[in-house]
Amino acid sequence: MTDTAETTDKAVIIVHSGDMDKIYSALIVGNGALAMGMDVSMYFTFWGLQRLKKGGLEKGPLSKMHMLGLGKWMINKRMKAANVASLEKLMNDYKELGGKILACEMTMEIMGVKAEELRTEWIDEYGAVGTYVNEARDAKITLFI
Amino acid sequence: MTDIEIDTRGETCPVPLVECRKALKKASEGDEVTILGTHPASKKEIPMACKALGLEIIGVEEKDEEWKIKIRR
């Protein structure tokens, strides 16, 4: 939207965890902030970055009660019954609304993740801590998930 | 001027809010966007988002669990 009334308040989220429920939290907050007219950047690092691998988005365990996958299976069933959107839809909406994705280069180096293993179509920028700090410098909301 | 209607009945957080924003983004100035839904929190939050975006709500209707919010882009 190009109307002048639109604010440029910004939210920046560090996505450190790769747990399924936490990726949900990050993407829901990110989408919500975009829907409320903010700019949003999500900085994927450590276990969070693993979720940007091809086929990796839905692969995370539950942060609690994973129970070798049984807990996750139960939660997925409950979420389906409640008609909760998939992570893939939330990510596509996030990108469609102009959300930015930053990928941590140090994580790629220490965990041996190559750019071609990642969903590069989602990633706007590769960077390190300076990139995060620069994004967060003028942000109204910053979260570490 | 076009009327755009989005149906989010049965959808939960954050889908009604996100679909509303997507429709407003695609709409041209002066278009009317009507959003239909059943998610209770979104009924409060869509007007909050419109306020933040500087857009005018031109009507809210409610019947049983369903609500309909009309916004001018």
Side-chain angles (χ1 to χ4, degrees):
Chain A
M1 214 184 302
T2 52
D3 50 348
T4 48
E6 190 172 356
T7 67
T8 49
D9 287 345
K10 202 194 310 183
V12 183
I13 304 172
I14 296 186
V15 187
H16 177 275
S17 171
D19 294 339
M20 182 195 84
D21 42 309
K22 295 188 180 179
I23 297 288
Y24 259 105
S25 295
L27 277 170
I28 290 173
V29 174
N31 271 305
L34 288 168
M36 306 287 280
M38 297 180 89
D39 286 341
V40 184
S41 295
M42 290 171 69
Y43 186 84
F44 282 74
T45 186
F46 281 88
W47 316 111
L49 188 81
Q50 307 294 317
R51 301 282 80 82
L52 294 187
K53 283 185 176 169
K54 288 171 182 149
L57 193 60
E58 316 270 350
K59 287 248 173 77
L62 275 187
S63 61
K64 288 192 198 308
M65 300 192 301
H66 185 64
M67 301 184 291
L68 301 169
L70 184 67
K72 184 177 170 179
W73 175 79
M74 269 165 50
I75 291 285
N76 269 331
K77 234 177 103 179
R78 298 285 292 264
M79 295 211 314
K80 213 166 186 176
N83 209 16
V84 176
S86 67
L87 288 172
E88 189 80 23
K89 173 177 164 46
L90 290 173
M91 183 61 100
N92 289 332
D93 287 344
Y94 177 78
K95 294 306 297 179
E96 190 179 334
L97 290 178
K100 258 169 84 179
I101 300 272
L102 314 169
C104 174
E105 281 182 324
M106 188 184 81
T107 303
M108 292 172 69
E109 207 170 295
I110 62 177
M111 293 192 172
V113 180
K114 294 188 181 68
E116 58 266 30
E117 291 175 65
L118 298 172
R119 297 281 294 263
T120 47
E121 72 276 20
W122 288 338
I123 301 169
D124 297 280
E125 214 176 311
Y126 298 83
V129 64
T131 308
Y132 160 71
V133 173
N134 217 31
E135 286 287 321
R137 192 189 288 279
D138 56 352
K140 286 264 170 75
I141 298 174
T142 77
L143 296 171
F144 184 94
I145 297 180
Chain B
M1 201 196 83
T2 330
D3 281 342
I4 302 152
E5 192 170 292
I6 334 159
D7 189 351
T8 70
R9 284 175 297 178
E11 301 281 1
T12 188
C13 171
V15 175
L17 198 58
V18 166
E19 292 304 323
C20 176
R21 180 70 165 124
K22 276 161 69 177
L24 288 169
K25 229 179 144 140
K26 281 184 206 133
S28 318
E29 193 106 30
D31 286 353
E32 283 177 10
V33 174
T34 303
I35 176 145
L36 199 64
T38 50
H39 182 239
S42 299
K43 189 184 75 194
K44 288 184 293 180
E45 292 174 0
I46 287 169
M48 281 184 210
C50 290
K51 198 178 166 204
L53 294 165
L55 299 175
E56 187 196 354
I57 302 235
I58 49 178
V60 181
E61 279 173 45
E62 251 180 285
K63 207 174 78 189
D64 304 320
E65 260 132 62
E66 279 186 32
W67 45 259
K68 197 193 249 191
I69 300 171
K70 197 177 257 200
I71 306 152
R72 181 169 296 123
R73 164 76 169 85

